[in-house]
């Protein structure tokens, strides 16, 4: 008997390999996937400006990166004894204004190099709901605990999201016409918006992405890149339909769910030759976590020798990998 429906995931036409360079942008689920890339020793960078949930804020940061539009003092504000920027996540906050400004502009420069060199860009959207600053009328990436009465909350239309996604693709393709894109919707439920509102938000994102996927390649004249969709949201909503696949907050996927989604991603989006290397690295990573009963024993010395042989064999094939 089958107790769940199985999602069929389309294979990527340009799968990720160990020679690939990956840039991941978007929601906290992008961070979950990035942790897997790190574990398996892929070349990966994630969310240089912190977690960003909505398409417009991601597009705005890409515009800055691609066009070398530096942050200025006018982009910063002081609140709760700290300096902030509405365009980035609060993880970058700093008590020193000048230090924050220098840091933000250094991230801009570093991010441009990463995007120029990327073979794959993974963009994970979390929500269609946005907050607009009442003074500037600009969409903010993070409210930084500023009182809510200083913002207007609204949902982005499908048309606005579609345009934002197309703009993001064009911006990246402008400096890297060979980059391959993987889009996904975060399975994290934004229940603070409301149950119906969360479903509406995800539906808008899904509709906009698939509009882009259906006709954007001829529209944008993308000759050397591909656009793919990975159904992370659909896997947890339709295949893992059980609250045991959520954390205690009933909003974020559990470790078990993330592992399962990663397995589906690996099978669909990572080259078969790299899957074999991942198995070897997994053995090494688990061995490195091993805690012996007796660290002075002959058995443990033999264990370390065998482990070093495995590491050496991997590094002969991929010298850049470090454990």
């Amino acid at each position: 008997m089958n107790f769940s429906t199985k999602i069929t995931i389309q294979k990527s036409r340009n799968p990720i390999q160990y020679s690939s360079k990956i840039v991941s942008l978007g929601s906290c689920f992008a961070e979950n996937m990035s942790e897997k890339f790190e574990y398996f020793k892929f070349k990966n960078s994630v969310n240089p400006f912190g977690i960003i949930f909505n398409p417009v804020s991601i597009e705005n940061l890409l515009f800055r990166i691609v066009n070398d539009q530096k942050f200025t003092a006018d982009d910063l504000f002081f609140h709760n004894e700290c300096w902030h920027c509405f365009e980035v996540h609060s993880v970058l906050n700093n008590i020193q204004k000048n230090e924050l400004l220098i840091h933000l502009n250094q991230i801009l420069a570093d991010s441009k190099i990463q995007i120029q060199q990327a073979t794959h860009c993974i963009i994970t959207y979390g929500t269609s709901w946005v907050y607009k600053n009442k003074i500037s009328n600009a969409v903010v990436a993070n409210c930084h605990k500023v009182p809510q009465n200083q913002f207007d909350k609204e949902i982005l239309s499908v048309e606005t999201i579609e345009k934002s996604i197309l703009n993001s693709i064009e911006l990246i393709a402008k400096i890297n016409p060979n980059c391959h894109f993987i889009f996904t919707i975060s399975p994290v439920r934004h229940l603070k918006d409301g149950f119906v509102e969360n479903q509406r938000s995800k539906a808008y994102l899904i509709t906009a992405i698939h509009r882009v996927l259906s006709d954007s390649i001829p529209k944008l004249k993308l000759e050397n890149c591909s656009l793919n969709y990975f159904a992370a949201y659909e896997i947890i909503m339709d295949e893992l339909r059980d609250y045991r696949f959520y954390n205690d907050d009933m909003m974020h996927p559990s470790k078990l769910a993330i592992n399962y989604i990663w397995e589906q991603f690996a099978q669909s989006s990572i080259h078969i030759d790299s899957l074999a290397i991942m198995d070897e690295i997994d053995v090494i990573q688990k061995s490195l976590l091993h805690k012996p009963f007796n660290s002075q024993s002959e058995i443990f010395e033999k264990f370390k020798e065998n482990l070093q042989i495995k590491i050496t064999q991997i590094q002969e094939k991929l010298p850049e990998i470090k454990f």
Side-chain angles (χ1 to χ4, degrees):
M1 291 185 291
N2 293 322
F3 292 97
S4 68
T5 50
K6 184 75 175 175
I7 302 290
T8 301
I9 307 294
Q10 184 177 2
K11 292 275 188 180
S12 172
R13 298 187 298 276
N14 298 94
I16 293 167
Q17 304 181 58
Y18 270 95
S19 59
S20 302
K21 293 183 178 180
I22 307 153
V23 171
S24 299
L25 303 170
S27 79
C28 48
F29 185 70
E31 306 264 330
N32 297 146
M33 293 292 99
S34 181
E35 288 173 6
K36 294 296 185 181
F37 283 124
E38 293 291 332
Y39 177 86
F40 287 105
K41 301 296 181 181
F42 285 92
K43 303 183 194 77
N44 174 64
S45 63
V46 60
N47 283 341
F49 289 103
I51 294 168
I52 308 292
F53 295 103
N54 75 80
V56 170
S57 292
I58 292 174
E59 177 199 345
N60 290 341
L61 286 171
L62 286 170
F63 183 88
R64 277 195 182 273
I65 292 167
V66 171
N67 294 292
D68 299 314
Q69 186 185 83
K70 291 187 176 182
F71 290 94
T72 69
D74 291 339
D75 298 311
L76 310 183
F77 68 96
F78 193 73
H79 178 68
N80 285 341
E81 300 182 357
C82 201
W83 287 94
H84 312 258
C85 175
F86 277 131
E87 295 182 48
V88 305
H89 193 271
S90 57
V91 71
L92 295 173
N93 294 348
N94 198 307
I95 59 173
Q96 297 294 331
K97 182 179 183 179
N98 195 49
E99 286 184 10
L100 175 57
L101 198 57
I102 292 171
H103 190 201
L104 290 176
N105 286 323
Q106 184 59 56
I107 294 173
L108 275 179
D110 294 342
S111 298
K112 186 169 186 177
I113 294 171
Q114 290 168 349
I115 290 174
Q116 286 173 324
Q117 296 177 347
T119 59
H120 295 76
C121 184
I122 303 173
I123 302 180
T124 302
Y125 297 120
T127 183
S128 303
W129 289 100
V130 296
Y131 289 86
K132 280 188 173 181
N133 184 287
K134 287 185 176 180
I135 297 174
S136 66
N137 199 37
V139 171
V140 302
N142 193 292
C143 292
H144 299 283
K145 298 184 179 179
V146 172
Q148 194 164 350
N149 61 13
Q150 296 188 28
F151 304 94
D152 290 318
K153 182 180 179 181
E154 64 180 57
I155 193 166
L156 300 171
S157 68
V158 172
E159 290 73 22
T160 298
I161 298 168
E162 180 183 6
K163 182 179 178 181
S164 184
I165 296 170
L166 288 168
N167 289 344
S168 295
I169 294 169
E170 283 188 305
L171 284 164
I172 292 172
K174 181 179 177 181
I175 58 173
N176 185 352
N178 299 312
C179 186
H180 301 291
F181 294 85
I182 301 174
F183 291 98
T184 190
I185 303 298
S186 170
V188 177
R189 304 194 298 164
H190 292 242
L191 296 185
K192 289 182 180 179
D193 294 322
F195 284 85
V196 174
E197 291 79 2
N198 173 68
Q199 292 294 77
R200 182 183 171 197
S201 166
K202 301 290 188 183
Y204 283 16
L205 292 172
I206 293 168
T207 302
I209 287 177
H210 284 281
R211 281 188 183 180
V212 170
L213 292 175
S214 65
D215 62 6
S216 64
I217 290 182
K219 184 184 300 182
L220 295 176
K221 299 180 181 178
L222 301 173
E223 298 177 357
N224 299 318
C225 70
S226 60
L227 306 179
N228 296 279
Y229 179 73
F230 175 69
Y233 176 76
E234 291 79 1
I235 287 173
I236 200 162
M237 292 300 293
D238 291 297
E239 191 168 342
L240 306 180
R241 294 176 63 87
D242 195 301
Y243 278 109
R244 66 194 167 109
F245 295 113
Y246 287 91
N247 285 335
D248 291 345
D249 64 5
M250 297 299 172
M251 293 186 290
H252 290 79
S254 68
K255 183 178 179 181
L256 179 63
I258 291 168
N259 288 341
Y260 183 82
I261 294 170
W262 168 259
E263 288 175 3
Q264 305 311 303
F265 178 85
Q267 291 299 320
S268 64
S269 304
I270 295 178
H271 196 282
I272 188 169
D273 293 341
S274 294
L275 292 176
I277 297 173
M278 286 171 59
D279 289 339
E280 296 178 47
I281 289 176
D282 188 35
V283 170
I284 292 171
Q285 293 282 50
K286 289 175 179 175
S287 297
L288 288 169
L289 296 173
H290 174 70
K291 294 182 179 180
F293 290 111
N294 180 3
S295 61
Q296 306 299 320
S297 68
E298 185 177 335
I299 292 175
F300 185 59
E301 287 300 318
K302 186 65 175 177
F303 172 84
K304 289 194 295 182
E305 289 176 13
N306 290 334
L307 177 57
Q308 187 56 53
I309 290 171
K310 293 174 184 176
I311 291 174
T312 301
Q313 289 173 341
I314 284 286
Q315 291 177 333
E316 286 175 352
K317 291 183 283 188
L318 300 166
E320 68 276 11
I321 287 183
K322 307 296 180 185
F323 290 96

